[in-house]
Amino acid sequence: MKTADPFQTSNRVLVIGGGVGGIRTALDLAEAQKHVVLIDRANAIGGLMTLLDRTFPTNNCDLCTISPTLSESSRSQYIELMPLTQVTRLSGEEGNFSAQLTTAPRYIDLSRCTACGECHKQFPECVNFNPGLDHRAPTCMRYPQATPQAFSIDMSRCSDPKALADCCPAHAIILDDRQTQSEFQIGAVVMAPGASVFDPAAIDSFSYGRDPDVITSLEYERIMSASGPTQGRLMCPSDGRTPEKIAWIQCVGSRGMQKGAVSYCSGVCCMFALKEAIVTKERFQDSIEASIFYMDMRTFGKDYELYYERSRKDYGVRFVRSRPHSVFRKNGQGQLTVTFASEDSSTMNEETFDLVVLATGFQIGAETRQLAETLGITLNPHGFAQTGAFDPVATSRPGVYACGMFESPKDIPETMTQASAAACRASAHLPAPEALPESEDEQTSERDVTDEEPRIGVFICDCGESIGAVVHVPELAAFAAKLPGVALAESVGHGCSRESMSRIQEAIAEHKLNRVVIGGCSPRTHESRFQDVLQRAGLNKYLLEIANLRDQDAWVHLDHPDKANAKARQLIWSAVMSVKKAHALADNYLPINRDVLVVGGGVAGMTAALRLADQGFRVFLAERRSMLGGTANLVHRTLEGDDVQAFVSDLRQKVMSHLKIQVIFNAFIVDHSGMPGMYTTGMQVGPQMFYRQIRHGVTILATGALPRRPDGYLLGQHDAVMTQLDADALIDEAPEKIKAWDTVVMIQCVGSRQPDNPNCSRVCCQAAVKNALRILEQNPETRIFILYRDMRTYGFQEDYYLKAREKGVIFVRYEPASPPVVRAAANQIEVAFTDPVLGRSVMVTADALLLSTGFISDDESTEDLAMIFKIPRTSDGYFLEDHIKLRPVDFSKPGFYMAGTAHAPKNIRESIAQAEASAARAMTMLSRENINLGAATARVDSQKCAACLICVRACPFGVPFINADGYSEIDPAKCHGCGVCAAECPAKAIQLMQFEDDQILSKVSSLLERMVA
Amino acid sequence: MMEDFEPVIIAFCCHYCAYTAADMAGSQRRCYPANVRIIRVPCSGKVDVIHILKAFENGADGVYVAGCLEGDCHFKNGNIRAARRVAYARKLMESVGIEGERLEMVNLSAGMGDRFAEIAGRITEKIRKMGPNPIRNTIRPVA
């Protein structure tokens, strides 16, 4: 029943690049019911992140965190996924582009391929699971969870194509596959092509490429990875021994100097190396010595400083502040020699290591530059996308957006943030979604089977040879047919193929089946597909059980077919017994209120409000002061020289005059209640403190942080001492005063990276460099000293750091143990400090002392809001996101998002990106009629509940409470479905739907029954 | 007779880690003894003491609960609760004359297919050496 083809108009977004950034953009758009075409040059999506073993700072395994996202993206009905595809032309303009896409041949029919791996097995010399450490091709599935779950072939490398084609049991290999071209009408483009890794082979002195024990940090990830070439065993590639001493060398290919290196900072390599060092000690042997050679430790992200501290204190990672000169192997030696100069002397040191890991930086490759040319967008001098000063994801071509590494070097959380921001901006070019025709799935009404006797249909896949070669499928089907309650049992070949699915659907109707068992692969990957079949056939989707005959039987017991067959019978028997107990469940839905509450009227709050209002949502913007602008009101210029005040007043003007935005000044939040999509927040407003309630579906918290003004260094006591923010204003407002300064000293990390504010404030290094350059603009003769601990001018900020050094700014490092000493000397300031290079004390008399005081969380207001909204905070008073890596703008509480410095210190541009991201995330919820909360929630039987409070205490999320009737109540809208309460309840009054006790117990008993078969 | 003894082992596996690791062992074709039978749960914290005891009552020779690595639980601390319950169930088992070593808590992440196979092998061998669950004598086989 297709009415209008949605693809005929330009209501889609083209997303280029299927790494985590592109996937996030695509998912955000799809969840907001916008159509997406997601293309990638590679044969599967996933990008760089899928190569990592673990990610900082949680040291979690990556695949487990990203693979649900990957399969989510392949499933979504709004996303058309086109691997092996590139844009070859883009014409037209924003809102109405025409894109020509060219798809390379895969030589495999995806609808037939079952990812059985037979081609891989038979042509092992052609298979590449481990890019970087293993250069073999042509059939390539990079990682086990690849989406689409299929292989691809590089015909140019295949010696005997016919034999390869013949080995495929599914006949999925197409030898005469061809390149195809297609034309798409699209509204906007998001570029997320990522960056490539610097190849250190260009640097002669590091022996990379000549000595197997010198590897890149990405290759080291593959060595640690459980799915890597060594199956997660740590070893030296040269001879397989376990390394005892490992060195990491930072800034390889970044921050200048070496051949082929770039001048900017790659931003993530410090954390990358720290993580590898920690995981090495944590997972392998604590006795392994880990040394990191570095220039500045740039741990400027949220809580990253704590991670750095932990690596030193808890794990004993050694830090050597030096840039090694060379790595080589002396004749006949088992170990590698690293030569380096120490900071305090000019002598050259030598030390030996078993393994040397080069922390290689990122660059934009030729293919991506070509892509930029095809799309007609401007690149910056480093080859990255040129984006707006206060429009962080907008490229030079209207309607074309850039995010992730391609915009500038960045880590995963920032990539996720920008990706969501790009989704927000791109969706503005699409027409507002009309009410979509109900899909057929939803129109089919469900049959009530409550009173029916079980009539179970058992369908057993052979999955080609995957199951069929080990398990005798026809015999198994015959066995299943005799089980009590089974009305039909048959083998279905590839159960997930289109033909088999429609066969199952027909069989359900024909045999009046009311329960279904699939004997096939893992429910993890295929449950939702079979659930769809049930729904299409008019059965509730929860009347299904899957017996995992492939991944957990045939594949792992292929050495004992008899045992595999016996176990298969047991698994089918158990699935049949369990599905008998299954009953229809309804997903929990709640209707949504489409209004938005934004708390905080700084740049982040205003930006989020404006983006949402522009797309038609009504926004209440609550600001506790009587003026919009927040901390940005105090800033005049950015490091890049852009006029902040002009931008802020323009933004303020737009917000104040927007018909969809209601600004509420002097607003103090006092209470809050409700469920996702239907919240009510009370506030006291205005000088009279009138009480007012707002009803809203989502909430964005953008309450900011406070510029710090700590005591010490004579701040507030002497006119010549001021913060960088004060100086920034003074340079604009009273340049004649600045011109009179002969000598200026700046002290970094004042009030940051210390016990009462342990994290890095992120913005102060750039603020110091900015003010130094601006002072020199006024008076090029001024002598400027910047006393620092680590210069953290990440990304392209490094250019300005270099410029400041070229212009004569003197950077002197100090140790926190011996900070600079400051004394008043009439209207000047005497600053004494130790120069580590000269090795002696220096005294400077300065006309001005500028303190880089950074941020501190607005503890009082975040504490109040955390209590009122029931949302978590970090130990240092910032809001805590749901997942530090993958969900950096979402709270764990559904419908709550954060933006700006309330999340962590960041600069204006970064706050804007996060604000746009929060708007995109909010839109995913606001574009729905209802919110689906799934069916796996805990239910309390009030007859059995003794109100003992055990569930109240046990719930990890604080959901159960004792209601007015005196028994425990669990709000399905808040329940996460873990089942902890059900397991703890002494009266067994709580059941977790989908995993009820009788289902689990029938599995237990049926898996244990000794069958005579 | 002991050589012929094939123990039956129930593994309660968390959907987010151990169950995925078991699938991973499959895709890597890492073989392990067929004695291990897996029951999927949303979180190891869902595994009730009753489920464990019923398994032994029904004749399981060994049981293990496989949850996420500590600190990695999808539901914050379900795996820690599971470990506590396993310890408690062991005491109960001891008190009725079933060796507590027949029950174990293990932790692994979704990527550890190898580790899953290793654990399955190790526990099977251990139980094989211990011999049948003493309760078994009282159970009659069912057709």
Side-chain angles (χ1 to χ4, degrees), chain A residues 54 58-61 63-64 115-118 144-145 226-227 231 283 466 522-524 527 546 548 550-552 555-559 563-564 567 570-571 573 953-957 976-980 982-985 988 991-992 995-997 1000-1001 1003-1005 1007-1012, chain B residues 6-10 12 15-16 18-20 22-43 45-51 54-56 58-61 69 71-72 74-78 81 84-85 109-114 128 136 141-143:
Chain A
R54 269 142 205 273
T58 49
N59 296 352
N60 276 349
C61 159
L63 280 175
C64 2
C116 66
E118 197 57 31
Q145 290 93 331
S227 61
Q231 260 119 44
R283 252 182 64 204
S466 278
S522 177
R524 251 175 3 94
E527 189 169 56
I546 295 183
N548 193 336
R550 188 182 74 171
D551 306 41
Q552 296 182 3
W555 275 355
V556 287
H557 307 313
L558 44 85
D559 49 345
K563 290 181 180 171
K567 183 166 169 182
Q570 201 98 40
L571 291 173
W573 165 244
R953 295 192 192 105
C955 176
F957 303 95
H976 290 230
C978 64
V980 162
E984 297 268 336
C985 177
K988 295 287 143 240
Q991 288 296 336
L992 179 68
F995 294 94
E996 286 149 77
D997 283 329
I1000 291 183
L1001 288 175
K1003 277 188 191 168
V1004 167
S1005 59
L1007 283 175
L1008 288 165
E1009 275 171 37
R1010 320 266 159 185
M1011 287 182 304
V1012 186
Chain B
E6 284 297 341
V8 183
I9 293 158
I10 297 286
F12 291 100
H15 172 83
Y16 292 92
Y19 193 87
T20 310
D23 281 352
M24 189 80 108
S27 47
Q28 295 171 352
R29 310 296 195 273
R30 273 288 272 116
C31 293
Y32 54 85
N35 310 55
V36 171
R37 280 134 207 209
I38 294 169
I39 294 178
R40 181 168 69 123
V41 286
C43 173
K46 169 74 184 81
V47 179
D48 201 322
V49 175
I50 301 264
H51 303 155
K54 279 279 180 198
F56 283 109
N58 285 320
D61 301 298
L69 298 174
D72 280 3
H74 194 83
F75 301 105
K76 294 185 184 172
N77 59 1
R81 285 186 176 273
R84 280 213 298 267
R85 257 177 248 144
S109 84
M112 298 181 175
D114 250 5
R128 196 194 299 278
R136 264 228 229 170
V142 187

Side-chain angles (χ1 to χ4, degrees), chain A residues 274-517:
Chain A
L274 282 179
K275 172 200 67 179
E276 291 185 344
I278 290 179
V279 170
T280 300
K281 292 182 85 74
E282 202 172 53
R283 252 182 64 204
F284 301 98
Q285 265 168 26
D286 195 36
S287 63
I288 296 175
E289 275 183 48
S291 305
I292 298 181
F293 290 88
Y294 72 108
M295 303 204 291
D296 294 284
M297 194 41 69
R298 294 188 165 170
T299 48
F300 53 86
K302 182 173 186 173
D303 282 349
Y304 291 178
E305 185 72 15
L306 306 178
Y307 192 74
Y308 175 32
E309 284 295 303
R310 252 170 63 207
S311 75
R312 263 201 310 219
K313 290 186 180 144
D314 299 352
Y315 295 93
V317 176
R318 169 183 167 227
F319 292 88
V320 186
R321 196 184 286 265
S322 176
R323 194 160 196 174
H325 171 269
S326 53
V327 181
F328 56 95
R329 194 182 294 265
K330 287 187 180 166
N331 268 345
Q333 274 205 353
Q335 291 184 305
L336 292 158
T337 301
V338 175
T339 62
F340 60 99
S342 54
E343 194 188 19
D344 53 352
S345 70
S346 53
T347 56
M348 201 58 124
N349 302 318
E350 280 193 2
E351 196 174 330
T352 56
F353 293 93
D354 296 300
L355 198 61
V356 172
V357 183
L358 306 178
T360 43
F362 295 93
Q363 302 185 337
I364 296 301
E367 280 178 313
T368 302
R369 287 173 197 253
Q370 177 59 48
L371 170 68
E373 204 183 312
T374 306
L375 266 57
I377 64 152
T378 311
L379 298 178
N380 76 10
H382 298 296
F384 289 75
Q386 182 73 53
T387 52
F390 299 107
D391 204 349
V393 295
T395 69
S396 59
R397 183 168 181 180
V400 179
Y401 300 93
C403 66
M405 279 275 190
F406 178 52
E407 189 275 330
S408 65
K410 60 177 64 65
D411 62 6
I412 293 167
E414 282 185 62
T415 295
M416 296 307 243
T417 303
Q418 272 199 346
S420 291
C424 163
R425 300 304 310 280
S427 65
H429 297 285
L430 306 185
E434 296 155 31
L436 288 162
E438 295 260 310
S439 73
E440 287 175 47
D441 297 1
E442 286 158 36
Q443 285 174 344
T444 322
S445 62
E446 264 176 31
R447 201 171 99 213
D448 182 6
V449 302
T450 330
D451 298 326
E452 295 177 16
E453 281 296 304
R455 286 184 61 78
I456 303 168
V458 182
F459 302 93
I460 301 173
C461 309
D462 61 18
C463 201
E465 295 287 291
S466 278
I467 296 171
V470 182
V471 173
H472 198 287
V473 173
E475 265 177 30
L476 186 59
F479 161 82
K482 284 183 280 181
L483 295 175
V486 172
L488 173 74
E490 58 184 37
S491 50
V492 286
H494 293 285
C496 56
S497 67
R498 198 176 290 263
E499 297 83 7
S500 298
M501 290 219 171
S502 48
R503 162 72 199 130
I504 295 170
Q505 190 182 330
E506 281 162 21
I508 291 172
E510 194 181 321
H511 297 267
K512 295 201 164 42
L513 305 177
N514 53 24
R515 305 273 195 287
V516 173
V517 168

Side-chain angles (χ1 to χ4, degrees), chain A residues 83-243:
Chain A
L84 298 165
T85 300
Q86 286 175 273
V87 191
T88 36
R89 200 191 63 239
L90 182 73
S91 56
E93 56 188 25
E94 50 177 318
N96 196 17
F97 288 112
S98 177
Q100 182 190 59
L101 306 183
T102 304
T103 306
R106 179 187 285 273
Y107 301 107
I108 288 181
D109 180 354
L110 283 185
S111 61
R112 287 167 176 255
C113 175
T114 61
C116 66
E118 197 57 31
C119 52
H120 157 214
K121 208 167 95 192
Q122 295 223 9
F123 290 81
E125 75 283 0
C126 306
V127 174
N128 177 11
F129 272 101
N130 310 297
L133 281 180
D134 179 357
H135 296 281
R136 290 171 299 175
T139 329
C140 161
M141 190 167 101
R142 283 210 317 207
Y143 52 99
Q145 290 93 331
T147 299
Q149 200 178 56
F151 297 67
S152 84
I153 297 166
D154 180 353
M155 271 307 164
S156 66
R157 295 214 206 174
C158 186
S159 56
D160 189 354
K162 189 163 179 312
L164 180 65
D166 288 345
C167 85
C168 177
H171 307 293
I173 297 179
I174 318 162
L175 292 175
D176 57 351
D177 203 4
R178 285 207 176 79
Q179 171 175 306
T180 55
Q181 265 180 358
S182 40
E183 196 77 24
F184 284 81
Q185 301 304 308
I186 52 174
V189 181
V190 174
M191 300 173 73
S196 43
V197 184
F198 174 72
D199 180 3
I203 304 169
D204 298 335
S205 57
F206 284 165
S207 300
Y208 178 81
R210 296 194 306 277
D211 196 303
D213 292 344
V214 180
I215 58 177
T216 67
S217 37
L218 204 54
E219 288 168 342
Y220 190 71
E221 288 290 320
R222 298 308 297 154
I223 290 189
M224 291 198 295
S225 168
S227 61
T230 61
Q231 260 119 44
R233 256 184 7 96
L234 182 59
M235 55 167 74
C236 294
S238 63
D239 57 3
R241 72 180 192 282
T242 307

Side-chain angles (χ1 to χ4, degrees), chain A residues 623-625 664-670 682-693:
Chain A
E623 164 58 46
R624 79 180 154 176
R625 298 191 190 84
I664 308 167
F665 286 113
N666 302 309
F668 290 83
I669 309 291
V670 289
M683 54 191 82
Q684 288 182 314
V685 179
Q688 272 86 38
M689 295 295 237
F690 284 124
Y691 181 73
R692 175 172 178 188
Q693 272 192 338

